[in-house]
Amino acid sequence: MRRSLRRLVLPAGLLGLILLLALAAPLLPLADPVRQNIAGRLALPSANFWLGQDEYGRDVLSRILWGARVSLSVALAATIIAAVIGTLLGILGGYFRKFVELVTVRLAEVVLCFPPMLLALLVVTLLGPGAGTLVVSLGILFAPAFACLAYAETLSARALDYVTAQQALGAGPGRILLRTLLPNIAPPLIVQFSLTVASAMVLESGLSFLGLGVVPPSPSWGLMIRGARATMEQAPLLLFWPCLALAGTVLVLNLFCDRLRDALDPRAGGGGPAGFLRRAAALPGPALRKDATPGLLRIRGLTLEITGPRGPVAVVRDVGFSVAPGKTLALVGESGSGKTLTGLAVMGLLPGAVRVASGEILYTSRDGATRDLLRLPEAELRALRGRDLSMVFQDPSSSLNPLLRIGSQVAEALPRAPGRMARVVELFRQVGLPDPEGRARAWPHALSGGQRQRVMIAAAIANHPRLLLADEPTTALDVTVQAQILELLAGLKRSEQGMGMVFVTHNLAVVAQIADRVAVMYAGEVVEEGPVAEVFTAPRHPYTAALIAATPEGEAERLSAIPGAVPQAWAMPAGCRFAPRCSEARPACAQTAPPLQSIGPGRATRCLRWKELA
Amino acid sequence: MNALSPPGISAAPLLRGENLSRSFGGGGWFGRGRPILAVRGVDLHLARGEALGVVGESGCGKSTLGRLLLNLLPPTSGKVVFEGEALDALPAGKLRALRRRMQMVFQDPYGSLDPRRSVGAQIADGLLIHRMADATGAAARVAELLRQTGLEPAHAMRLPHEFSGGQRQRIAIARALATRPDFIVADEPVSALDVSIQAQIVNLLADLRSELGLALLFISHDLHVVRHLCDRVMVMYLGRVVEQGSAAAIFAAPAHPYTRALLEATPSMRHPVTAAPLPGEVPSVANPPSGCPFRTRCPAAESRCAEAMPPLEAHPADASRQLACWRAAELA
């Protein structure tokens, strides 16, 4: 059974119990809720009257259960009326727009303008008190909230591709509204339903309390609270029981509808949002490594894990590569290859679920000392971020704060000193922003995508970093703008002396354009590493070869596709991870996981058969 | 009328778009600003079984054009004629009936499938809407379609989130094929997919085209993919067609300065980009330049380019191609 369904059991059981008690009230051996017994006035709980007796000596337990029938039926009936009418108005207005929208949604908005209590009082005064009037007036009162919600949800859902797809299939409006839109806008409406039942119960109690709802002597929770108020000081328990019933029922209803919404979401339980990046806990051990040979960046045996339902799962396994000063290494792979996580691990920032299991990331800083970033305390690592190590992300539109002028955002990366803005302008000029002075005072929304990416690059190089991590920096850009950004990065490599770059991408053609060395990743492992020109002309791993062949270039009539898909992190093949999709696989490949072995100067592959295939 | 069609493609056009334009916004009660012209005066024709590629950068109007051709968006002016019937003149019922024969595949395989219904039910939708099959017949056809698109018939019971991106795109293609359409608009169907999966889907579309004789409007920003799949190409910039003709001819010798720049900027594994990149970015659609829309970035622009939009005319050396450039004759 799904987890979300299991979580539904408790509130559903409680709600069922409440409803059952209310329904079964006439069958239970209860005292007559309206029979008065002046002798037992305000009596405390006893064996015969479990919750005591009220100001007329009536049985409180019996009145609570009979009152539940009234309160619940009024609230449920009113909410169902409101939900049906409101949803209908909202969904029609949202789908058809124009005239229908004017009639339905705007009308509902007029009703929303009145204070609810006042409107209810007005209706009840006009029609006279009683349960029937109450249902009608509460229904009218709550319908507009449903209408506005359904309208807003319909507006956002009707623009989605799967609704357009239904239109393209030739479905009529009725079919689209009922089968496609309604189920998909239901979750917020269900939550609204629970909130409305709860407020209807409270409002019913309030109106009854004012003498405008249920007519005495019929029991209702509102009337009971009203009656108990007069004797509050002599018998405080009398006030407590109806309040408990009211609050308890409302809470159970809210919980039930919340869980129901989760249970109706087919994607529930599949991960959840990635959340903030945070510092992965530093591994134990000394960070300073005197024995290591200095280089700019050397990663060895990096393994990152997430905790799956069946124990830890390695999403990045035994990854190693190195970057020399002034050189660019491209990390290339498809989605799920672990290339982005590897890049983030260097910055010491990982999504909450990911843990560093083992490995080392050796970085040689300006003073010549080599430190292991995985073992460096956060304070020292923070001192490196933004100065020695900096990063450019994929989506330039979401990485700038829309409420700050871009000049001040870039200035934040610089140390506080006079002339900071002059340095920002100089940086903007360096990254080729037109009108750098004017741009420094501009807001992010005034810039195009390519210009925003230039701003992000300006911030990243503000402190002359020694290592720049670029995570798919051109993927969100148009081709002609991509060419500009690639040229800018190539130019920076020349002007920023000795700056190394790790360029994460899925695009082999971009790799050929920008990188000196390439590490090809597949399913969390580096499968091949070497100089770009060599790897592309003579790949030594079947995956690299297949990826090159699958790239739509050249004159071949038919693209050679790689069959199948990347395996899921928790269902990795036992041997070589590429074996199930590999055209060159032999039985041995499925049994032993090949190590990354050196096959020549600066080249390595993770294939058992590389010699035969070469 | 179509000298470019490879043999086997019938000459009678299946679909024609005449002077299609579409604007968004503008007007309204308070006259909120000027309308945005997303597509401006586009003419096109598509023969049975022909594949036409529409290429351009963001904001060029290629996706809007695809939706205009299917009448998912009504054109502001101009008309679409499908087998001699103008779509905008058809009553709603007849238009819905005609939708059986023209379908769409979307870019985002995560957004184009209803997350709450089984994929089998979604593939069967078209069959049931157009009463082409009863429940048993639809189930059999769904199984056949799943097999045809490289999935398993048993997958019909599952929900979309249980599939990978490539598999979902196969499901979306199966859904589009269910009613045996004559014409499919594929709006960037492989842009959201990994390279290895992209090749699978491109091959699938190529196979389906030759097996079923589908006419295809393939919208893409990736020139390499278009070259693989399409007979003819239409290059768009800021809502206008700037060049069109046979794919082979245009890729071999692009004539419009924009087409040239686009081809030069596309990175390639085999031939690294050497030309200087085009300056600037695509101007805002809301505020296009006067005259030729490309003149602000064009290395060959002159003063006359700012005065009027050049008409789409035959290529000086090759009458089967057209381009919209005042300096076509000099640059050719």
Side-chain angles (χ1 to χ4, degrees), chain B residues 138-185:
Chain B
R141 176 93 174 110
V142 167
E144 181 194 335
L145 285 161
L146 284 170
R147 228 175 278 121
Q148 198 172 13
T149 48
L151 296 164
E152 316 242 331
H155 287 160
M157 303 305 292
R158 299 202 195 157
L159 288 168
H161 73 270
E162 297 173 57
F163 296 91
S164 69
Q167 288 176 317
R168 285 178 193 217
Q169 204 57 297
R170 288 171 189 269
I171 294 164
I173 291 173
R175 176 178 63 184
L177 291 176
T179 56
R180 303 183 196 278
D182 301 304
F183 169 52
I184 286 189
V185 170

Side-chain angles (χ1 to χ4, degrees), chain A residues 465-485:
Chain A
R466 305 197 59 234
L467 183 68
L468 179 68
L469 283 132
D471 186 4
E472 304 251 13
T474 60
T475 304
L477 305 174
D478 277 328
V479 184
T480 54
V481 181
Q482 165 171 282
Q484 297 169 6
I485 297 292

Side-chain angles (χ1 to χ4, degrees), chain A residues 55 93 165 192 236 345 452 494 536:
Chain A
E55 71 274 22
Q192 177 72 14
R452 284 185 208 164
R494 288 190 294 271
F536 283 5

Side-chain angles (χ1 to χ4, degrees), chain A residues 161-162 164-173 175 179 183-184 187 264 266-267 334-335 448 450-451 478-484 487 508-509 513 548 550-553 555-559 561-564 581, chain B residues 57-58 67 72 96 99 102-103 106 111-117 125 129-130 159 161 175 194-197 199-200 202-203 207 221 224-225 227-228 262 265-270 272-273 277-281 297:
Chain A
D161 280 349
Y162 61 82
T164 314
Q166 285 287 316
Q167 282 172 294
L169 282 172
R175 189 186 170 93
R179 305 205 43 180
N184 280 295
L264 288 179
R267 289 152 297 186
E334 300 181 272
S335 47
S448 65
Q451 288 178 346
D478 277 328
V479 184
T480 54
V481 181
Q482 165 171 282
Q484 297 169 6
E487 199 190 51
L508 292 178
Q513 196 70 36
I548 293 171
T551 304
E553 260 185 53
E555 309 302 322
E557 185 59 28
R558 220 178 141 68
L559 295 174
I562 307 178
R581 301 175 73 189
Chain B
E57 296 180 278
S58 49
R67 282 166 166 78
L72 290 172
R96 277 211 292 277
R99 293 211 178 282
M102 37 198 218
Q103 283 299 319
F106 297 83
S112 66
L113 296 173
D114 185 340
R116 287 167 200 279
R117 295 176 60 216
D125 266 345
I129 290 168
H130 298 288
L159 288 168
H161 73 270
R175 176 178 63 184
D194 277 322
V195 180
S196 70
I197 310 298
Q200 295 174 7
V202 168
N203 285 342
D207 290 346
H221 67 276
H224 294 304
V225 175
R227 180 190 210 158
H228 258 279
L262 205 56
T266 307
S268 149
M269 271 189 304
R270 293 171 184 89
V273 176
L278 208 56
E281 289 175 45
R297 304 171 75 193

